[in-house]
Amino acid sequence: DTAVSQTPKYLVTQMGNDKSIKCEQNLGHDTMYWYKQDSKKFLKIMFSYNNKELIINETVPNRFSPKSPDKAHLNLHINSLELGDSAVYFCASSQDENIQYFGAGTRLSVL
Amino acid sequence: GDSVTQMEGPVTLSEEAFLTINCTYTATGYPSLFWYVQYPGEGLQLLLKATKADDKGSNKGFEATYRKETTSFHLEKGSVQVSDSAVYFCALSDRRGRRALTFGSGTRLQVQP
């Protein structure tokens, strides 16, 4: 069983479209995250939720909106996609020791 | 703010060579330190961690020691294998409550047979 699963794995879309990425964890963790990895492999935190409550909201355009329906799920919705949004998006989860478990990533390509 | 600096890659080694990937950090307080590894096409996996000064993290032949005096957490392995080829990320976690990881820029390791 995959601990942190993201769908879809690949997402190719046109500029201006709206898309969502889903994330689910079966580890029973309280905290979930979204990270963005750019073309140079640099990883940066976008959002963090703890028990469905938004904890971290970094300087991210408000076209990005996370939603956590329950503590096992954290979805990312992106409106009006731009070329610069092309990246790999990683979901992660953690519990007390803050060892983070990552999903396999969603590679988003905006054309 | 917190930051992590890693040596730039790629690092290219022959099988059985000794590996060092340098990592230094800047943080307020006493962060936990991590090394994560990303194999091609996969997500990140925790390789090892250390939570306080002088702790040594180790896993799969890799080691790193938390050096508070030099604010460093260098990754070492005595004899690399082709299967170690991946991107390695040094990271820190602010234990004051923010909990997100701050990553270095990653170092690509290529091991040749």
Side-chain angles (χ1 to χ4, degrees), chain B residues 40-61:
Chain B
E42 298 183 13
L44 282 77
Q45 303 172 25
L46 177 69
L47 183 58
L48 53 85
K49 70 178 178 74
T51 57
K52 61 183 187 296
D54 301 325
D55 266 2
K56 178 187 279 188
S58 61
N59 185 25
K60 299 181 183 179

Side-chain angles (χ1 to χ4, degrees), chain A residues 2-107:
Chain A
T2 304
V4 181
S5 58
Q6 295 179 229
T7 53
K9 192 171 173 67
Y10 299 97
L11 187 51
V12 181
T13 188
Q14 301 286 334
M15 276 175 54
N17 283 351
D18 303 339
K19 290 293 178 185
S20 292
I21 307 171
K22 296 188 175 183
C23 179
E24 176 181 6
Q25 54 97 2
N26 63 6
L27 298 167
H29 290 167
D30 288 335
T31 309
M32 295 184 72
Y33 311 81
W34 278 110
Y35 289 87
K36 180 180 180 181
Q37 185 176 46
D38 64 23
S39 58
K40 295 184 179 177
K41 296 286 189 185
F42 187 67
L43 273 153
K44 191 168 166 57
I45 183 71
M46 299 174 70
F47 303 103
S48 166
Y49 270 73
N50 182 267
N51 270 321
K52 302 194 297 175
E53 181 184 349
L54 182 65
I55 301 297
I56 296 173
N57 184 354
E58 287 295 282
T59 309
V60 174
N62 57 15
R63 299 181 294 102
F64 289 79
S65 53
K67 284 204 169 46
S68 182
D70 55 62
K71 76 171 194 178
H73 295 84
L74 180 61
N75 303 323
L76 183 65
H77 189 76
I78 315 169
N79 288 330
S80 303
L81 278 155
E82 300 178 357
L83 292 176
D85 298 332
S86 296
V88 181
Y89 293 84
F90 286 101
C91 178
S93 72
S94 73
Q95 195 55 20
D96 301 325
E97 291 184 357
N98 203 24
I99 296 171
Q100 297 195 10
Y101 294 81
F102 284 78
T106 296
R107 183 175 294 277

Side-chain angles (χ1 to χ4, degrees), chain B residues 3-4 31 37 40 44 56 63 68 72 78-79 81 84:
Chain B
S3 66
V4 176
V37 58
L44 282 77
K56 178 187 279 188
E63 292 182 342
K68 183 164 164 279
S72 65
S79 175
Q81 305 300 313
D84 294 326

Side-chain angles (χ1 to χ4, degrees), chain B residues 62-74:
Chain B
F62 291 90
E63 292 182 342
T65 301
Y66 190 144
R67 300 282 187 208
K68 183 164 164 279
E69 63 277 12
T70 54
T71 61
S72 65
F73 192 54
H74 304 321

